[in-house]
Amino acid sequence: AQLPLQQYISSAWKKRFPLNNTTEFISVGSDNIPYFGDGYRVYKLVDQEIVEVWKNKGREDPLETIIAANKDSILICSGLAGVQTVVNGVQKNSPSSIGVASAMIEKNGSVYCYASRGIFSINPATLEANLVFALPDYMQEWGSSFLRDNENNFWICTHEHLCYARPALFNIN
């Protein structure tokens, strides 16, 4: 049996998008405001209204991850522009060159980005990216996702490989 999900679609979402629109990413900040990403834009729900927070700047730059932080603050990872933030409506790009970005995660208060050049630790305040470890050339291909497990290993998924890096390979907390 199928669930009648159509009746549970947010009225704010139906008002903003009378036709179908997909949501690929969702994150809730410490202020309990939900943020949604549809692949090329980020929105938030405020007072039963859908408000656009971010969109790519005139080019096809796919959204890869969103992480809602504090009130009116969100970290964004897009394929070409990499790590960005929007704080109180002001967008800022990372000054660091990381290659093509694939994903971003938060683990125990730390933020990491998986890009074609490797895994990076991100300073959320400055958006500076510090290389945790570089990826070998044969893995600098279509990145998919990654995670840091409870033993602090990084698991990295590409379209062709699944691998992990133990903490002995890198030097971070």
Side-chain angles (χ1 to χ4, degrees):
Q2 287 187 329
L3 295 174
L5 294 178
Q6 189 69 22
Q7 67 188 10
Y8 298 108
I9 295 175
S10 159
S11 59
W13 192 261
K14 287 182 195 177
K15 180 179 174 185
R16 174 73 187 232
F17 305 106
L19 303 175
N20 290 336
N21 193 35
T22 61
T23 303
E24 297 180 27
F25 307 98
I26 187 168
S27 184
V28 177
S30 62
D31 56 359
N32 287 326
I33 292 180
Y35 289 80
F36 311 90
D38 68 1
Y40 293 94
R41 295 171 190 241
V42 176
Y43 309 91
K44 67 179 177 178
L45 179 63
V46 179
D47 298 325
Q48 295 305 311
E49 293 290 326
I50 302 290
V51 177
E52 185 178 282
V53 175
W54 174 90
K55 67 179 177 179
N56 61 22
K57 301 282 187 186
R59 64 179 186 208
E60 294 297 313
D61 186 12
L63 180 64
E64 302 295 346
T65 313
I66 58 175
I67 298 173
N70 302 318
K71 183 173 175 40
D72 293 323
S73 176
I74 186 166
L75 286 165
I76 297 166
C77 176
S78 67
L80 300 177
V83 179
Q84 305 154 64
T85 190
V86 176
V87 178
N88 295 320
V90 177
Q91 182 178 339
K92 179 181 168 186
N93 288 9
S94 171
S96 304
S97 175
I98 62 172
V100 177
S102 295
M104 185 172 54
I105 60 169
E106 181 181 21
K107 176 75 173 183
N108 298 329
S110 296
V111 176
Y112 303 97
C113 184
Y114 166 29
S116 58
R117 290 190 41 228
I119 302 294
F120 294 84
S121 174
I122 305 297
N123 178 324
T126 65
L127 300 183
E128 289 285 337
N130 294 310
L131 185 65
V132 175
F133 62 89
L135 293 174
D137 288 344
Y138 70 90
M139 286 193 63
Q140 294 185 11
E141 52 199 78
W142 297 98
S144 297
S145 63
F146 78 121
L147 64 82
R148 190 166 189 202
D149 67 21
N150 290 332
E151 295 176 357
N152 291 323
N153 299 306
F154 282 100
W155 290 84
I156 303 163
C157 302
T158 71
H159 287 25
E160 291 81 15
H161 303 286
L162 169 64
C163 68
Y164 70 99
R166 294 178 186 248
L169 296 175
F170 49 90
N171 187 17
I172 61 171
N173 297 324

